[in-house]
Amino acid sequence: FIADLLAADPSGQILENTLYLKGQLAAAQAKWDEARRSFETLLRNHPESPLQLMAEYGIAEATFRQDDYGRAGEQFELLRRRTHDRSEPWLAVVHLRLAQSLCQRKEWDEAFEVASTIEARYPNFEEQYEVDYVIGRCLSSRAEFDQARASYEKVIRSPGGEKTETAAKAQLMIAESYYHQKNYKTALREYLALEILYDYPTWQAAALLQAAKCHEMLGEWKQAVDLYKRLRSTYPDTNFSEEAQDRFEAAKRRLAALPAS
C-alpha cells in the first residue's frame, strides 16, 4: 500500500506521512538501513514537517540498533537538548537510548547521570526496568554492589520486565556481583536460579559456566565437571560451549588427582 502511494507521486502532508510510515514499517521489520533512508528523505525534502522530531528519533534508533553507539549517542544527545522543555511520554525513550549508548561505551558516570533522572521525569515509563538495568551496570562499575543489586532487583520484580531478557541479564549481574565479592556460595545460588527461571539460552549457558567456576573456587571439582558437561549437552550452540569444554577437561584432571576418599 505504501509503495502504491509513493508510485502515485503524492505531495504535501500525504507524502510526509507516507515516508514516515515507510520508515516505521522498515523499523518494525528490523530493516534499519531502509528505515534510516526513509526518515532522512522525509527530513531532506520536508525540513519543516511536524514529523521532524519523530523522524530524527527514527534515524537515531536505526543507528543504535546497528550498534553504532558513538554516533547514536550524539544523535540522542542532540534530541535531548532540543526537547529539554518538553515532557511527552515518548521522549523518555530518547533519554533511555542515550543512557544505553553511554553504557555501551563504558562512559559510566555520564550514563548514570542521564539514567538517574528518567524515573522522576517520566514516572509512568513502561520501560523503566531498562533504565534500572543501566543504573545497575553503572553502580557495578563503581563496585557499589549493594546498590547495584537493588537496581537489578527492581528489573526482576517489575511487572513489565520480570520475564524479559533484560531480567535474565539482571539476574546474571546479581550473581556476578557476589562472584566479584568472592561470595561464591551465594553467587552459585544466583547463577543456578537464572538457569531455572529464565528461557534465554545464551544467558542460561553463561550462568552455568559461571556456576561451574564457583564450584571450582569452592574446591568442588565433581560438581564443576557435572555442570560443564551439562552446559555442553544442553547449550551446545552458545558462545560458552567451547570454554566449557576446555574447563571440563581441566576440571576432570583436577578431580582425578584428588586422593580417594
Side-chain angles (χ1 to χ4, degrees):
F1 184 66
I2 289 171
D4 289 344
L5 273 174
L6 291 174
D9 196 22
S11 60
Q13 240 181 2
I14 293 177
L15 178 57
E16 293 175 34
N17 281 279
T18 303
L19 287 170
Y20 182 69
L21 286 171
K22 184 180 180 182
Q24 282 188 306
L25 177 61
Q29 297 172 327
K31 298 177 180 178
W32 299 112
D33 282 332
E34 184 179 330
R36 182 169 51 244
R37 286 195 298 271
S38 295
F39 294 131
E40 287 173 343
T41 300
L42 169 59
L43 292 177
R44 183 169 58 251
N45 296 335
H46 305 276
E48 303 302 320
S49 171
L51 295 169
Q52 179 189 26
L53 276 179
M54 295 296 291
E56 289 179 357
Y57 167 77
I59 292 169
E61 180 72 11
T63 305
F64 178 86
R65 295 288 187 159
Q66 292 181 304
D67 302 335
D68 187 349
Y69 301 116
R71 188 176 171 200
E74 292 172 359
Q75 292 168 336
F76 285 119
E77 174 61 22
L78 182 60
L79 272 171
R80 185 176 74 141
R81 291 180 183 179
R82 290 183 57 196
T83 59
H84 73 278
D85 58 345
R86 300 172 59 167
S87 57
E88 294 97 315
W90 73 270
L91 290 172
V93 184
V94 172
H95 294 250
L96 169 61
R97 289 288 186 264
L98 175 57
Q100 289 173 322
S101 297
L102 292 166
C103 190
Q104 288 288 344
R105 291 169 59 84
K106 301 190 187 311
E107 297 177 23
W108 304 114
D109 291 342
E110 294 84 351
F112 182 81
E113 182 180 354
V114 174
S116 60
T117 67
I118 295 175
E119 186 170 19
R121 185 167 183 175
Y122 302 99
N124 298 314
F125 185 33
E126 292 182 356
E127 294 185 62
Q128 178 60 39
Y129 65 91
E130 296 281 6
V131 179
D132 292 325
Y133 180 74
V134 170
I135 291 173
R137 291 293 310 278
C138 295
L139 292 168
S140 292
S141 75
R142 304 174 183 175
E144 297 177 8
F145 294 122
D146 288 341
Q147 298 92 320
R149 285 192 285 265
S151 288
Y152 295 136
E153 288 287 350
K154 287 180 67 177
V155 177
I156 292 168
R157 294 175 181 173
S158 66
E162 61 180 344
K163 293 299 180 183
T164 64
E165 186 173 8
T166 301
K169 293 191 292 183
Q171 179 65 40
L172 182 66
M173 290 298 102
I174 289 172
E176 291 282 86
S177 71
Y178 286 116
Y179 189 91
H180 286 304
Q181 291 180 305
K182 303 185 188 306
N183 185 346
Y184 300 117
K185 289 185 177 180
T186 304
L188 174 63
R189 183 178 68 243
E190 299 295 341
Y191 286 127
L192 293 177
L194 189 161
E195 207 260 338
I196 294 168
L197 296 174
Y198 297 94
D199 188 20
Y200 296 96
T202 294
W203 306 116
Q204 289 170 291
L208 277 189
L209 181 68
Q210 291 299 106
K213 291 179 184 179
C214 288
H215 281 306
E216 288 189 16
M217 300 303 293
L218 294 167
E220 298 168 349
W221 294 103
K222 183 181 185 307
Q223 293 91 327
V225 166
D226 290 344
L227 279 192
Y228 288 132
K229 184 177 180 180
R230 180 148 68 88
L231 192 163
R232 289 166 53 239
S233 63
T234 308
Y235 309 103
D237 299 324
T238 65
N239 293 333
F240 303 98
S241 183
E242 185 175 349
E243 182 180 352
Q245 173 64 30
D246 293 339
R247 299 190 76 98
F248 170 74
E249 297 295 341
K252 273 206 310 183
R253 289 193 294 272
R254 291 294 298 268
L255 179 61
L258 292 177
S261 56

